[in-house]
Amino acid sequence: METAQDNRIMLRTAAGVEVGVTIAGLGGRSFAFLIDWHIRLLLALTWLLAAGIILGGGELRGEWMESDELGLGFYLAVLPPLLIYLFYHPVLEIAMQGRTPGKRMAGIRIVDRSGHTPTVGALLLRNVLRLVDSLPAYYLLGIGVVLASRDTVRIGDMAAGTVLVYEERPKLDVLAQHNPRLHPLWQEMLADLLERWRTLDPNVRTELAERLLAGAGREIPQGKGKENSDLRLRVALSQLLNGEH
Amino acid sequence: MVGQGEEALGHWLESRRGSWQEFERRLAALRGPAGDDVETVVELMGSYRALGRDLSLARRLWPEGRITRSLEALFTHAYDTLHRPPADGFQALVELFREQAPADVRALRGPIAISSLIFVVTGLMGWWLIWNYPELARLFASAEMIEEVEQGRLWTDGLLNVVPSSLLSIGIMANNITVTLTAFALGALYGVGTLYMIGLNGLMLGGIFAFTAHHGLAGRLFEFVVAHGTVELSVIALAGACGLKLGEALARPGDRSRREAFQASAAQAGRLAVVGAVFLVGCGVIEGFVSPDERFPLAIRVTIGTAYWLVFAAVLGGGLSRHRRWSGKTL
């Protein structure tokens, strides 16, 4: 069962626990597409170049492409790149369960409305409708629909009942035990503070770090200059988290 | 800083870390090639429920914490793995041809009739247009094609001297499948794109036949087309019907929202378009190996075209269905 909540889809599981997946916006989509597009282009060009050299008898010559007669060489050189270009998305999305190399790098994947990997039929359907999404050129229609739709989906996704979501992979290191003598909630706070260190205001993070170190009975390090103090505080927090002295 | 109850919960969560890591490891193994072990799945379902309880506790204890976020990710991952529908594969493909496609054809009888009618009418219009104004042939044919026909030759003559049959087949298949899928997909533009596509193909076919007839070559063109064209043209009309169904869902969604109607129609029409595209593989083989080969007489070409169309009609008519009906009785 699925309910929409801003940019998240909430899934009510059979275990009675509700979990949410975050819908990818135009940025995530475009980033993934650009990477995939370049991979496709590189693969196709590599094949074309290799075929050109082989057909040119060891040299890169273009006469075979200019010939009026479409001979065997032309087909061997041009068909595979065309197939790579056309079938890259459907084949990889099926094989990689809703992912492509570009989507993986962008941290997104395709799921159906129940949060599962879509069926082969749905993946094929969303790819067939690229023909419409890419109209009139440069995916303009698809981009417009993504911007206008509630779940930032293109026409192909609407037809197939799919959506692109951010893939949050469980981080095993988070689950790993740090300092066993430290209360789990303290471990959690320390790890959280270290993870968000650079995004926090320097005064706020210094105050938080000092309070945590003082609470744990650790000495507050002093350094010369602001940057030095900042670094020393981070080191002290890491040592506390990992049980080092 | 921490209350007694929370401290107890914290220690309990801490004691569960090992189980989560083990669960994650076994979950990853389940996605691998040896992931069909029922006992493992049953055991994991137990761990999955326990993980759900842990997640609830973690949320209560630390709503936005790292452990909670990680447990949520692990739970979502487990949800996807353990509740995923069974892999359908070959059985689903068989089911598609045996049951789903005939049922979809029955449901799309109206759009199929309309699409076929548009194709035939525009074909006749194309014929009339070029028969009366042959100079307009350049609208439908390239300058090279027109020149060849005017010299008493078809552009398909000697095709096999240029390209081997196997490669010719692949090229034709790719082109036909693209046309079919485009005719279907353009239905998403309220069916207008499909109407253009079907209409244009009808006009072209009629026009080119009229142009070759002007130069006494229509019989030879028919000879070239008949073996593969019966199914090929039927598939184009079918794809047009699928596109019209998509357009109808958007224009007249009925009780459902446009989005729901579009999705339901896309699933149904998409299935049928894919079935049609599969039949085009056979058309491509025939067009590559039989149609341009002058050694095949007309009788054999007609036989091949008729037989292939009968197979096509039998499959889509429910000939392979387990619930085949005969004289109103289920066999």
Side-chain angles (χ1 to χ4, degrees):
Chain A
M1 191 180 159
E2 155 264 319
T3 55
Q5 200 179 74
D6 294 330
N7 66 339
R8 280 173 79 78
I9 293 180
M10 303 307 292
L11 309 166
R12 200 180 300 277
T13 66
V17 180
E18 199 177 64
V19 284
V21 282
T22 308
I23 298 167
L26 185 61
R29 273 178 176 273
S30 312
F31 179 45
F33 183 81
L34 273 180
I35 296 168
D36 284 326
W37 191 83
H38 280 95
I39 294 174
R40 276 191 293 172
L41 190 71
L42 278 175
L43 286 174
L45 281 179
T46 307
W47 181 281
L48 208 59
L49 202 67
I53 292 172
I54 292 166
L55 292 171
E59 283 178 50
L60 187 58
R61 289 201 302 251
E63 289 91 350
W64 56 275
M65 285 197 84
E66 288 157 15
S67 165
D68 285 342
E69 293 186 350
L70 302 182
L72 179 67
F74 179 85
Y75 276 88
L76 283 177
V78 174
L79 266 183
L82 201 66
L83 293 178
I84 289 170
Y85 197 81
L86 290 176
F87 291 105
Y88 175 92
H89 276 283
V91 169
L92 286 183
E93 282 172 8
I94 291 167
M96 295 172 73
Q97 300 181 320
R99 302 174 189 90
T100 57
K103 288 188 180 72
R104 197 180 268 276
M105 285 173 80
I108 59 177
R109 67 175 291 218
I110 310 161
V111 293
D112 63 18
R113 295 257 155 201
S114 317
H116 292 301
T117 304
T119 60
V120 172
L123 289 172
L124 288 177
L125 187 59
R126 79 183 289 280
N127 277 292
V128 166
L129 283 157
R130 275 183 197 281
L131 287 165
V132 180
D133 279 306
S134 59
L135 290 174
Y138 307 111
Y139 274 86
L140 277 181
L141 182 60
I143 290 170
V145 175
V146 166
L147 288 173
S149 60
R150 191 189 61 183
D151 294 338
T152 60
V153 288
R154 61 179 177 84
I155 295 172
D157 287 313
M158 282 185 195
T162 53
V163 63
L164 255 76
V165 296
Y166 284 106
E167 189 166 24
E168 287 161 38
R169 293 182 160 271
K171 291 178 186 164
L172 287 179
D173 60 322
V174 171
L175 301 179
Q177 197 168 29
H178 296 287
N179 182 355
R181 285 187 297 175
L182 208 58
H183 188 278
L185 296 186
W186 275 74
Q187 289 184 33
E188 177 77 2
M189 276 193 290
L190 282 167
D192 206 17
L193 179 57
L194 282 168
E195 195 177 274
R196 297 169 57 203
W197 190 260
R198 286 183 191 281
T199 63
L200 292 173
D201 178 82
N203 293 328
V204 172
R205 69 191 184 207
T206 303
E207 190 191 332
L208 283 171
E210 286 178 356
R211 282 175 66 178
L212 282 171
L213 288 171
R218 294 275 179 126
E219 195 181 324
I220 296 168
Q222 301 295 328
K224 287 177 188 171
K226 252 191 172 178
E227 278 188 22
N228 202 326
S229 298
D230 202 58
L231 181 66
R232 281 169 186 268
L233 277 174
R234 280 186 70 187
V235 171
L237 287 174
S238 296
Q239 285 173 339
L240 174 60
L241 181 63
N242 297 315
E244 298 161 12
H245 291 285
Chain B
M1 284 175 83
V2 179
Q4 263 191 346
E6 284 186 338
E7 190 168 345
L9 283 173
H11 281 301
W12 190 76
L13 279 173
E14 184 68 16
S15 70
R16 297 281 299 149
R17 282 184 198 271
S19 320
W20 302 333
Q21 284 168 317
E22 174 65 10
F23 181 66
E24 159 69 16
R25 194 188 58 74
R26 295 185 71 185
L27 207 59
L30 193 69
R31 282 187 175 270
D36 291 337
D37 180 17
V38 177
E39 267 183 44
T40 310
V41 176
V42 171
E43 281 175 30
L44 279 175
M45 284 305 287
S47 307
Y48 170 63
R49 280 190 285 272
L51 179 70
R53 290 192 292 273
D54 292 344
L55 176 57
S56 300
L57 281 173
R59 278 174 169 167
R60 185 175 142 197
L61 199 61
W62 201 258
E64 298 295 327
R66 296 164 80 239
I67 287 181
T68 307
R69 291 204 304 272
S70 194
L71 285 183
E72 272 178 353
L74 183 58
F75 191 81
T76 312
H77 191 53
Y79 168 76
D80 184 31
T81 308
L82 295 172
H83 291 283
R84 69 174 186 259
D88 31 26
F90 183 69
Q91 188 54 40
L93 199 65
V94 171
E95 201 64 16
L96 173 66
F97 278 84
R98 283 183 75 162
E99 309 295 344
Q100 284 181 331
D104 292 339
V105 166
R106 281 195 294 275
L108 263 71
R109 269 182 301 206
I112 289 172
I114 293 170
S115 170
S116 305
L117 191 67
I118 293 170
F119 197 54
V120 170
V121 169
T122 51
L124 291 172
M125 283 166 63
W127 173 281
W128 179 87
L129 192 72
I130 302 302
W131 186 254
N132 290 295
Y133 306 98
E135 64 277 14
L136 292 180
R138 72 190 65 169
L139 289 174
F140 306 128
S142 66
E144 292 80 19
M145 279 170 74
I146 291 172
E147 199 182 317
E148 292 239 28
V149 172
E150 283 173 348
Q151 288 172 5
R153 290 195 308 266
L154 278 182
W155 59 94
T156 54
D157 290 348
L159 201 58
L160 293 182
N161 297 333
V162 182
V163 187
S165 292
S166 51
L167 288 174
L168 188 63
S169 287
I170 293 169
I172 290 164
M173 258 179 236
N175 179 57
N176 288 343
I177 290 172
T178 306
V179 170
T180 301
L181 295 181
T182 308
F184 159 65
L186 288 181
L189 303 176
Y190 289 86
V192 178
T194 300
L195 285 176
Y196 276 123
M197 195 82 182
I198 296 296
L200 196 64
N201 271 282
L203 277 173
M204 279 173 72
L205 188 71
I208 286 174
F209 257 103
F211 185 62
T212 49
H214 250 297
H215 295 84
L217 292 170
R220 283 186 55 206
L221 183 60
F222 174 77
E223 212 171 305
F224 176 80
V225 166
V226 68
H228 65 268
T230 49
V231 172
E232 194 178 288
L233 299 178
S234 303
V235 169
I236 290 176
L238 186 71
C242 296
L244 291 180
K245 177 76 180 168
L246 270 192
E248 191 190 3
L250 288 170
R252 294 191 304 171
D255 295 336
R256 294 174 292 186
S257 71
R258 274 204 167 73
R259 188 182 184 137
E260 285 168 350
F262 179 61
Q263 196 179 323
S265 297
Q268 188 180 48
R271 275 197 301 265
L272 210 48
V274 168
V275 170
V278 170
F279 273 98
L280 288 179
V281 174
C283 292
V285 172
I286 296 170
E287 199 170 347
F289 286 88
V290 177
S291 301
D293 195 334
E294 289 163 8
R295 290 173 298 177
F296 288 99
L298 179 63
I300 289 187
R301 290 165 186 263
V302 171
T303 307
I304 290 172
T306 310
Y308 194 36
W309 190 85
L310 286 174
V311 171
F312 172 76
V315 171
L316 293 185
L320 301 176
S321 169
R322 281 185 292 270
H323 313 294
R324 199 151 37 117
R325 287 177 184 278
W326 184 255
S327 302
K329 291 177 183 172
T330 303
L331 289 176

